[in-house]
């Protein structure tokens, strides 16, 4: 369990550090935030039965960090900016 907890902290810190420098994924009017692809990855990990607590915690930390932003929504306006 300590591996999972350390993974969450590491994932959160890594996401917080790299997010300002990472390119945004915008498809048409939809902004795919890192918490969205992280959640999809977590579902795949659960489905496949991956039993690596540190990795699972790392991805969970990325997802949790992504949900701390005010602009966590999927929809963007036509200029690629996030809608309120």
């Amino acid at each position: 369990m300590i591996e999972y907890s350390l993974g969450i902290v590491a994932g959160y810190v890594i996401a917080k550090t790299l997010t300002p420098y990472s390119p945004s994924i915008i498809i048409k009017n939809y902004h795919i935030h890192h918490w969205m692809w992280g959640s999809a990855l977590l579902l795949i990990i659960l489905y496949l039965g991956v039993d690596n607590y540190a990795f699972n915690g790392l991805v969970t930390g990325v997802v949790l960090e992504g949900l701390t932003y005010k602009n966590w929504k999927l929809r963007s306006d036509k200029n690629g900016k996030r809608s309120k």
Side-chain angles (χ1 to χ4, degrees):
M1 197 59 152
I2 188 73
E3 296 90 0
Y4 182 72
S5 299
L6 291 174
I8 289 175
V9 172
Y12 188 93
V13 170
I14 291 169
K16 193 67 152 175
T17 304
L18 295 181
T19 297
Y21 305 105
S22 301
S24 296
I25 302 171
I26 298 176
I27 302 170
K28 296 190 180 183
N29 289 343
Y30 298 100
H31 182 194
I32 309 302
H33 295 271
H34 59 282
W35 71 264
M36 293 175 185
W37 59 256
S39 297
L41 182 58
L42 274 176
L43 290 173
I44 292 169
I45 289 169
L46 288 172
Y47 178 75
L48 295 176
V50 174
D51 199 22
N52 185 329
Y53 294 121
F55 182 71
N56 295 352
L58 188 80
V59 177
T60 302
V62 169
V63 171
L64 292 174
E65 190 277 334
L67 291 172
T68 64
Y69 291 95
K70 291 180 182 177
N71 62 346
W72 56 267
K73 298 176 186 172
L74 177 63
R75 189 89 169 141
S76 296
D77 68 15
K78 292 182 181 182
N79 297 325
K81 296 180 182 176
R82 292 162 203 82
S83 63
K84 296 180 180 180

